[in-house]
Amino acid sequence: MIDNPIQPIEVLTRKSSKLLKALREYMKLNENATENAYVLEKKIKNISALVEDLLPPDLQDSLRRWLTVQKQEIEKGKDEIKFQFGNRLRELCKTGDIIVRGQYPLLRLGLYTLKLNFELGEAMLYFGPEIEKIKTKIPIQAEVIYEIVLKHRREIATESAELVDVARDIRTAYERCARRDGKPYGEKLLITDVLKEYVFMKQSKKFAADACRQNFREYPRARMSFMLYQLRNNKNASRGMHLHVATFDATVDKTKALWVPEDEEGTGTHYEYITFESRDDSDAE
């Protein structure tokens, strides 16, 4: 005998409301089934659980058949998302002279690596072959990803006219580190130490007066990496500069080595040391 007949009705009402809300949300999303395939997949799992928990057997059977059809359509939608995304991304990258290579879930976009998680509907972008993480939780939308790549490329690139000045400043940073460490000119120095000195050289007077975060001019590793790549491709700017390949152990230690691209397709090398020839020697080349 039921002591309180209201209580089970209230429970049933709450569950019915949940199911009704879930179905309405599903039907709304289903208006753009292909675009929302991964979200629909999550929704259908929730609806299935509510159906099992709430409805009488005859209505459960009817809804199970409906759920089976919906799951089949969702799988088709997921396949269509992957197909459309890949084609659209290749079209966009072609306009920017970016070569797309690889297979899901890992694509190479020129200098960048894109790691896709279609189940979550998001991606991660790296500089180089998963060398430096640029951005996480990017929606899997070709236009969004392409714009992020272009924006980052603009941020790390150095104008060609500035490369000679950059090379001069790196040489000065090298000289300072050599004097500080009591090493002769031309000796191998850790590339990360020299670049660290370079970064401090490039700070403003405001930073010198107040060394706080808002006064600090950032030089992310990806920017330093691409800067060295540009220098090495400008024989006039990089005259006398030599980079030395890192040992295997050093490649995993970011305090010792830096990955530098060799080309625009993501091939590169970890370097551990940097040297400069004397100014007279480099001028004689």
Side-chain angles (χ1 to χ4, degrees), residues 135 146 153:
K135 193 173 180 62
Y146 179 65
R153 177 62 180 269

Side-chain angles (χ1 to χ4, degrees), residues 39-91:
V39 181
L40 287 170
E41 186 176 38
K42 293 177 183 177
K43 293 288 185 184
I44 210 74
K45 288 178 182 177
N46 182 43
I47 291 170
S48 296
L50 290 170
V51 166
E52 296 292 335
D53 186 44
L54 174 65
L55 299 179
D58 56 338
L59 192 50
Q60 280 189 24
D61 290 340
S62 176
L63 270 173
R64 279 198 197 101
R65 289 191 292 272
W66 178 81
L67 288 168
T68 298
V69 172
Q70 296 306 306
K71 288 174 183 177
Q72 291 169 350
E73 293 300 316
I74 286 169
E75 289 303 316
K76 291 179 185 177
K78 286 163 62 177
D79 291 339
E80 186 64 21
I81 283 177
K82 293 178 182 179
F83 179 75
Q84 290 181 1
F85 168 78
N87 282 351
R88 181 57 178 154
L89 186 62
R90 283 181 171 82
E91 287 175 6

Side-chain angles (χ1 to χ4, degrees), residues 1 54 66 75 104 128 176-177 188 199-200 225 229 241:
M1 183 177 178
L54 174 65
W66 178 81
E75 289 303 316
Y104 296 149
R176 289 184 180 183
C177 288
K188 289 181 181 179
V199 170
F200 279 110
S225 170
Y229 164 71
M241 183 185 79

